mmCIF file of all heavy atoms in Angstrom:
data_model
loop_
_atom_site.group_PDB
_atom_site.id
_atom_site.type_symbol
_atom_site.label_atom_id
_atom_site.label_comp_id
_atom_site.label_asym_id
_atom_site.label_seq_id
_atom_site.Cartn_x
_atom_site.Cartn_y
_atom_site.Cartn_z
ATOM 1 N N LEU A 81 -2.451 -19.986 -23.564
ATOM 2 C CA LEU A 81 -2.414 -20.241 -25.009
ATOM 3 C C LEU A 81 -2.551 -21.679 -25.312
ATOM 4 O O LEU A 81 -3.316 -22.078 -26.249
ATOM 5 C CB LEU A 81 -1.181 -19.623 -25.642
ATOM 6 C CG LEU A 81 -0.962 -19.953 -27.102
ATOM 7 C CD1 LEU A 81 -2.042 -19.344 -27.932
ATOM 8 C CD2 LEU A 81 0.437 -19.433 -27.568
ATOM 9 N N ALA A 82 -1.767 -22.561 -24.584
ATOM 10 C CA ALA A 82 -1.773 -23.998 -24.795
ATOM 11 C C ALA A 82 -3.245 -24.464 -24.596
ATOM 12 O O ALA A 82 -3.694 -25.358 -25.384
ATOM 13 C CB ALA A 82 -0.773 -24.709 -23.936
ATOM 14 N N ASP A 83 -3.853 -24.070 -23.473
ATOM 15 C CA ASP A 83 -5.190 -24.582 -23.231
ATOM 16 C C ASP A 83 -6.195 -24.131 -24.317
ATOM 17 O O ASP A 83 -7.049 -24.908 -24.699
ATOM 18 C CB ASP A 83 -5.633 -24.122 -21.811
ATOM 19 C CG ASP A 83 -4.951 -24.776 -20.683
ATOM 20 O OD1 ASP A 83 -4.393 -25.933 -20.924
ATOM 21 O OD2 ASP A 83 -4.874 -24.224 -19.632
ATOM 22 N N PHE A 84 -6.081 -22.877 -24.693
ATOM 23 C CA PHE A 84 -6.997 -22.389 -25.686
ATOM 24 C C PHE A 84 -6.827 -23.067 -27.059
ATOM 25 O O PHE A 84 -7.811 -23.398 -27.756
ATOM 26 C CB PHE A 84 -6.798 -20.874 -25.906
ATOM 27 C CG PHE A 84 -7.784 -20.215 -26.802
ATOM 28 C CD1 PHE A 84 -9.086 -20.324 -26.640
ATOM 29 C CD2 PHE A 84 -7.337 -19.409 -27.889
ATOM 30 C CE1 PHE A 84 -10.049 -19.725 -27.462
ATOM 31 C CE2 PHE A 84 -8.215 -18.802 -28.734
ATOM 32 C CZ PHE A 84 -9.644 -18.960 -28.545
ATOM 33 N N ALA A 85 -5.530 -23.335 -27.436
ATOM 34 C CA ALA A 85 -5.288 -24.049 -28.664
ATOM 35 C C ALA A 85 -5.830 -25.494 -28.607
ATOM 36 O O ALA A 85 -6.344 -25.978 -29.605
ATOM 37 C CB ALA A 85 -3.751 -24.034 -28.912
ATOM 38 N N ASP A 86 -5.644 -26.152 -27.454
ATOM 39 C CA ASP A 86 -6.188 -27.549 -27.312
ATOM 40 C C ASP A 86 -7.685 -27.592 -27.528
ATOM 41 O O ASP A 86 -8.170 -28.693 -27.867
ATOM 42 C CB ASP A 86 -5.769 -28.100 -25.937
ATOM 43 C CG ASP A 86 -4.377 -28.705 -25.968
ATOM 44 O OD1 ASP A 86 -3.843 -29.059 -27.031
ATOM 45 O OD2 ASP A 86 -3.764 -28.679 -24.867
ATOM 46 N N ALA A 87 -8.381 -26.438 -27.254
ATOM 47 C CA ALA A 87 -9.817 -26.454 -27.394
ATOM 48 C C ALA A 87 -10.183 -26.696 -28.877
ATOM 49 O O ALA A 87 -11.383 -27.028 -29.115
ATOM 50 C CB ALA A 87 -10.412 -25.137 -26.884
ATOM 51 N N ALA A 88 -9.328 -26.582 -29.826
ATOM 52 C CA ALA A 88 -9.613 -26.891 -31.231
ATOM 53 C C ALA A 88 -10.002 -28.352 -31.398
ATOM 54 O O ALA A 88 -10.760 -28.688 -32.413
ATOM 55 C CB ALA A 88 -8.394 -26.501 -32.068
ATOM 56 N N GLY A 89 -9.611 -29.196 -30.536
ATOM 57 C CA GLY A 89 -9.997 -30.576 -30.607
ATOM 58 C C GLY A 89 -11.397 -30.935 -30.114
ATOM 59 O O GLY A 89 -11.809 -32.079 -30.258
ATOM 60 N N GLY A 90 -12.081 -29.923 -29.581
ATOM 61 C CA GLY A 90 -13.465 -30.200 -29.057
ATOM 62 C C GLY A 90 -14.466 -29.951 -30.168
ATOM 63 O O GLY A 90 -14.287 -29.173 -31.073
ATOM 64 N N ILE A 99 -11.845 -29.495 -22.124
ATOM 65 C CA ILE A 99 -10.477 -29.543 -22.589
ATOM 66 C C ILE A 99 -9.601 -28.449 -22.013
ATOM 67 O O ILE A 99 -8.509 -28.657 -21.651
ATOM 68 C CB ILE A 99 -10.441 -29.573 -24.101
ATOM 69 C CG1 ILE A 99 -11.059 -30.859 -24.662
ATOM 70 C CG2 ILE A 99 -9.053 -29.412 -24.668
ATOM 71 C CD1 ILE A 99 -11.276 -30.920 -26.169
ATOM 72 N N MET A 100 -10.158 -27.172 -22.068
ATOM 73 C CA MET A 100 -9.355 -26.079 -21.603
ATOM 74 C C MET A 100 -9.132 -26.143 -20.087
ATOM 75 O O MET A 100 -8.083 -25.637 -19.629
ATOM 76 C CB MET A 100 -10.173 -24.829 -21.866
ATOM 77 C CG MET A 100 -10.207 -24.464 -23.396
ATOM 78 S SD MET A 100 -11.321 -23.141 -23.791
ATOM 79 C CE MET A 100 -10.581 -21.664 -23.081
ATOM 80 N N HIS A 104 -3.758 -31.621 -18.774
ATOM 81 C CA HIS A 104 -2.851 -32.319 -19.768
ATOM 82 C C HIS A 104 -2.659 -31.429 -21.045
ATOM 83 O O HIS A 104 -3.626 -30.687 -21.399
ATOM 84 C CB HIS A 104 -3.515 -33.628 -20.089
ATOM 85 C CG HIS A 104 -3.519 -34.632 -19.052
ATOM 86 N ND1 HIS A 104 -4.637 -34.754 -18.196
ATOM 87 C CD2 HIS A 104 -2.637 -35.572 -18.615
ATOM 88 C CE1 HIS A 104 -4.369 -35.671 -17.238
ATOM 89 N NE2 HIS A 104 -3.174 -36.214 -17.554
ATOM 90 N N LEU A 105 -1.537 -31.552 -21.575
ATOM 91 C CA LEU A 105 -1.225 -30.814 -22.775
ATOM 92 C C LEU A 105 -1.332 -31.656 -24.055
ATOM 93 O O LEU A 105 -0.798 -32.781 -24.123
ATOM 94 C CB LEU A 105 0.285 -30.322 -22.736
ATOM 95 C CG LEU A 105 0.824 -29.407 -23.812
ATOM 96 C CD1 LEU A 105 0.015 -28.178 -23.926
ATOM 97 C CD2 LEU A 105 2.291 -29.101 -23.650
ATOM 98 N N GLY A 106 -2.096 -31.146 -24.974
ATOM 99 C CA GLY A 106 -2.384 -31.859 -26.155
ATOM 100 C C GLY A 106 -1.510 -31.443 -27.368
ATOM 101 O O GLY A 106 -0.651 -30.535 -27.234
ATOM 102 N N ALA A 107 -1.748 -32.004 -28.504
ATOM 103 C CA ALA A 107 -0.930 -31.720 -29.715
ATOM 104 C C ALA A 107 -1.059 -30.338 -30.153
ATOM 105 O O ALA A 107 -0.094 -29.574 -30.492
ATOM 106 C CB ALA A 107 -1.287 -32.700 -30.848
ATOM 107 N N TYR A 108 -2.359 -29.785 -30.106
ATOM 108 C CA TYR A 108 -2.560 -28.376 -30.521
ATOM 109 C C TYR A 108 -1.800 -27.433 -29.614
ATOM 110 O O TYR A 108 -1.149 -26.491 -30.057
ATOM 111 C CB TYR A 108 -3.990 -28.084 -30.547
ATOM 112 C CG TYR A 108 -4.791 -28.788 -31.620
ATOM 113 C CD1 TYR A 108 -5.797 -29.656 -31.379
ATOM 114 C CD2 TYR A 108 -4.594 -28.423 -32.955
ATOM 115 C CE1 TYR A 108 -6.552 -30.290 -32.365
ATOM 116 C CE2 TYR A 108 -5.362 -29.015 -33.992
ATOM 117 C CZ TYR A 108 -6.301 -29.927 -33.666
ATOM 118 O OH TYR A 108 -7.063 -30.590 -34.612
ATOM 119 N N GLY A 109 -1.930 -27.658 -28.354
ATOM 120 C CA GLY A 109 -1.271 -26.805 -27.350
ATOM 121 C C GLY A 109 0.244 -26.908 -27.542
ATOM 122 O O GLY A 109 0.979 -25.784 -27.423
ATOM 123 N N THR A 110 0.764 -28.090 -27.668
ATOM 124 C CA THR A 110 2.233 -28.193 -27.825
ATOM 125 C C THR A 110 2.758 -27.462 -29.028
ATOM 126 O O THR A 110 3.785 -26.730 -28.927
ATOM 127 C CB THR A 110 2.563 -29.765 -28.026
ATOM 128 O OG1 THR A 110 2.154 -30.472 -26.857
ATOM 129 C CG2 THR A 110 4.068 -29.920 -28.213
ATOM 130 N N TRP A 209 -16.098 -20.670 -30.495
ATOM 131 C CA TRP A 209 -15.876 -21.899 -29.793
ATOM 132 C C TRP A 209 -16.614 -22.020 -28.565
ATOM 133 O O TRP A 209 -17.202 -23.071 -28.285
ATOM 134 C CB TRP A 209 -14.329 -22.044 -29.523
ATOM 135 C CG TRP A 209 -13.547 -22.543 -30.671
ATOM 136 C CD1 TRP A 209 -13.963 -22.997 -31.874
ATOM 137 C CD2 TRP A 209 -12.081 -22.630 -30.734
ATOM 138 N NE1 TRP A 209 -12.918 -23.414 -32.623
ATOM 139 C CE2 TRP A 209 -11.781 -23.201 -31.969
ATOM 140 C CE3 TRP A 209 -11.072 -22.344 -29.778
ATOM 141 C CZ2 TRP A 209 -10.420 -23.447 -32.360
ATOM 142 C CZ3 TRP A 209 -9.737 -22.604 -30.156
ATOM 143 C CH2 TRP A 209 -9.410 -23.147 -31.468
#
Side-chain angles (χ1 to χ4, degrees):
L81 173 63
D83 289 338
F84 185 55
D86 276 336
I99 291 172
M100 291 168 69
H104 294 89
L105 183 62
Y108 289 115
T110 300
W209 277 355

